[in-house]
Amino acid sequence: MSKIWKKNIIIFLFSQTLSLFGSSLVQYAITWYITLETKSGTMMMVSIIAGFLPSFILSPFAGVWADRYCRKNLIAFSDSLIAISTLLLAILFLMGYRSIWLLFIVSAVRSVGTGIQSPAVSAFLPQLVPEEQLTKVNGINGSVQSFVMLLAPMVSGGLLSVASIESIFFIDVVTAALAVSILVFFLQVAPHEKAVLNQDISYFEDLKSGLHYINHHGYLKKMFLFCAIFFFLSAPVAFLTPLQVTRSFGDDVWRLTVIEVTFSSGMMVGGLLLASWGGFKNRIHTMTLSSILIGVSTFSFGIIPNFLLYSVVMGFLGLIMPLFNTPAIVLLQEKVEEEYMGRVFGVLNMIISVTMPVGMLFFGPMSDTVPIEQILIITGILIGIVGVFIVSSKDLIEAGKQKQVKERIIE
């Protein structure tokens, strides 16, 4: 019944929005604290690696868990783990222990929670939403998340100006507690079929069967290869632009807030645009357009001399990001069999978790000797070139075709 699935998705998205808001406050606070205290590309590299490496290591197993166990419970557990680590950090800061390395350790623990949560959330959505509504719901979800990302830097920047960083940590604890409570007590969804069955095979056999599934589907192998290259090359525009702003335009918190706000505003509009438009008939064509425009935007950051124009382009980058992310996710949600969904998204999360830190391992130290502008120019050109090559794959083009489906009922 349509009212039931709509009610469930509203409850779920509200819970995840609360959780995301608190987590975003903390993430901005940690990133800006490290950026402003150290002004070091190497320290930024360490921070990024601490935030991604644990998720990479855990992702294959987390994908198996998402296919074996109740996904709702996994999401609640991961939110709780992240909140507890933040609470401990807040207590240590209040006690006077304010080492940068504490932030790295907590970022690593939070990464563990993210590693568990990401494949579970991606695999959980098709349980809640009719297949023909996945693009719209993912687009709306992206816009809601972007609104949070728009609000979070303003709130975080404002709080850092008038209060201690510990106050932000405590806000995250409260929002996480509320999010978990809503998820556990108000979202009534039956576990997926495999979660209620006795598991006859081991974790490693489950993991092996998931890798076997990916290996025997050409479009998945090519999609993951493309994503690996894309996210490696995207590391500078994702993580070095705040450092570029502090070096080239000034180290004021408001400047960092502006670029985050404009980017998130663009993503919010882009998500709504995709929710209403749906993208091209072939999802790969939408991803290709986005990749080329992302490359152009990245290149532009290397030649723009004015902070106002820089902010405008950052907003445009945000606008076109959903045209890449959402079609990629929906393509997998539509094409992958339900029993393999968690493992496939687990491997995707593993790829993202390793390629961006490897990118920072390469580009982070480089940014201390080579102007960031030059790095952005080169990677922007390469992103555009890679985006063109994706349309040459027959497997991806075939997989990207949108299916014509009749509306089904989710109870």
Side-chain angles (χ1 to χ4, degrees):
M1 300 175 188
S2 60
K3 289 185 178 180
I4 293 178
W5 79 258
K6 289 178 180 178
K7 175 185 175 183
N8 284 338
I9 197 62
I10 289 172
I11 292 172
F12 178 68
L13 294 184
F14 181 66
S15 167
Q16 290 303 288
T17 300
L18 275 177
S19 176
L20 177 64
F21 177 69
S23 294
S24 299
L25 290 181
V26 171
Q27 193 56 54
Y28 282 120
I30 289 176
T31 300
W32 292 348
Y33 189 88
I34 294 172
T35 300
L36 297 175
E37 289 291 319
T38 69
K39 296 184 177 68
S40 166
T42 300
M43 296 303 282
M44 288 295 295
M45 174 200 71
V46 174
S47 175
I48 298 304
I49 290 175
F52 278 92
L53 188 58
S55 181
F56 161 71
I57 295 172
L58 193 64
S59 286
F61 301 99
V64 174
W65 297 336
D67 284 336
R68 292 171 71 105
Y69 303 119
C70 176
R71 291 160 182 164
K72 185 182 80 169
N73 292 343
L74 286 173
I75 296 168
F77 171 77
S78 62
D79 276 339
S80 300
L81 177 64
I82 292 171
I84 291 171
S85 69
T86 307
L87 176 61
L88 292 175
L89 178 63
I91 294 172
L92 288 172
F93 262 58
L94 284 174
M95 294 172 62
Y97 300 99
R98 307 178 71 87
S99 169
I100 292 291
W101 291 99
L102 276 177
L103 299 178
F104 295 156
I105 293 171
V106 170
S107 292
V109 175
R110 291 170 64 88
S111 178
V112 169
T114 301
I116 297 172
Q117 186 180 67
S118 294
V121 170
S122 296
F124 190 46
L125 272 177
Q127 282 183 243
L128 301 176
V129 182
E131 184 174 305
E132 69 277 1
Q133 299 292 338
L134 280 171
T135 297
K136 179 176 290 187
V137 170
N138 276 286
I140 292 172
N141 184 35
S143 291
V144 171
Q145 291 181 351
S146 299
F147 175 74
V148 172
M149 302 300 283
L150 168 65
L151 185 62
M154 293 188 289
V155 175
S156 187
L159 288 174
L160 283 176
S161 301
V162 299
S164 65
I165 194 172
E166 297 93 313
S167 63
I168 298 177
F169 296 157
F170 282 116
I171 291 174
D172 182 38
V173 175
V174 173
T175 55
L178 289 173
V180 171
S181 298
I182 292 171
L183 195 65
V184 171
F185 296 112
F186 294 96
L187 183 61
Q188 304 301 322
V189 178
H192 57 289
E193 183 178 352
K194 190 174 181 180
V196 298
L197 299 175
N198 292 327
Q199 307 298 330
D200 298 324
I201 61 176
S202 69
Y203 287 108
F204 288 100
E205 288 174 327
D206 245 349
L207 176 59
K208 184 179 178 180
S209 68
L211 295 176
H212 179 81
Y213 178 87
I214 293 171
N215 189 50
H216 283 73
H217 288 78
Y219 78 93
L220 287 177
K221 291 191 291 184
K222 292 177 181 178
M223 168 75 81
F224 289 166
L225 175 62
F226 170 73
C227 287
I229 298 171
F230 176 84
F231 286 113
F232 173 82
L233 294 173
S234 297
V237 72
F239 299 116
L240 291 180
T241 44
L243 187 60
Q244 180 194 16
V245 168
T246 61
R247 289 179 179 177
S248 301
F249 302 111
D251 60 359
D252 308 288
V253 172
W254 71 265
R255 294 185 189 274
L256 299 178
T257 303
V258 166
I259 62 171
E260 295 294 345
V261 167
T262 53
F263 178 79
S264 299
S265 297
M267 283 200 69
M268 182 171 62
V269 175
L272 292 174
L273 172 65
L274 191 61
S276 59
W277 168 40
F280 295 122
K281 291 183 179 180
N282 193 303
R283 303 196 190 284
I284 296 300
H285 292 161
T286 309
M287 293 173 63
T288 298
L289 173 64
S290 178
S291 300
I292 294 172
L293 294 179
I294 289 170
V296 172
S297 300
T298 302
F299 178 90
S300 300
F301 289 134
I303 60 176
I304 293 175
N306 180 278
F307 181 69
L308 176 61
L309 182 57
Y310 188 99
S311 302
V312 171
V313 175
M314 186 64 75
F316 178 73
L317 177 64
L319 176 71
I320 58 181
M321 280 299 297
L323 303 185
F324 179 87
N325 295 334
T326 302
I329 292 172
V330 174
L331 187 152
L332 296 180
Q333 289 174 336
E334 287 181 339
K335 297 288 291 186
V336 175
E337 281 84 349
E338 198 274 339
E339 64 179 296
Y340 290 99
M341 193 85 68
R343 279 163 287 181
V344 169
F345 277 109
V347 171
L348 177 61
N349 190 53
M350 180 181 67
I351 290 171
I352 297 172
S353 298
V354 71
T355 50
M356 297 198 84
V358 168
M360 279 302 292
L361 185 64
F362 181 77
F363 294 113
M366 182 188 295
S367 69
D368 288 333
T369 56
V370 176
I372 295 176
E373 287 77 10
Q374 293 182 16
I375 296 174
L376 292 171
I377 288 173
I378 294 172
T379 53
I381 293 172
L382 293 176
I383 289 172
I385 293 173
V386 170
V388 172
F389 277 104
I390 191 175
V391 295
S392 65
S393 169
K394 293 182 179 179
D395 288 335
L396 286 175
I397 291 296
E398 183 62 30
K401 294 177 180 177
Q402 296 189 34
K403 295 192 297 183
Q404 299 297 320
V405 296
K406 294 181 180 180
E407 186 172 354
R408 63 186 176 89
I409 295 172
I410 293 184
E411 299 191 18

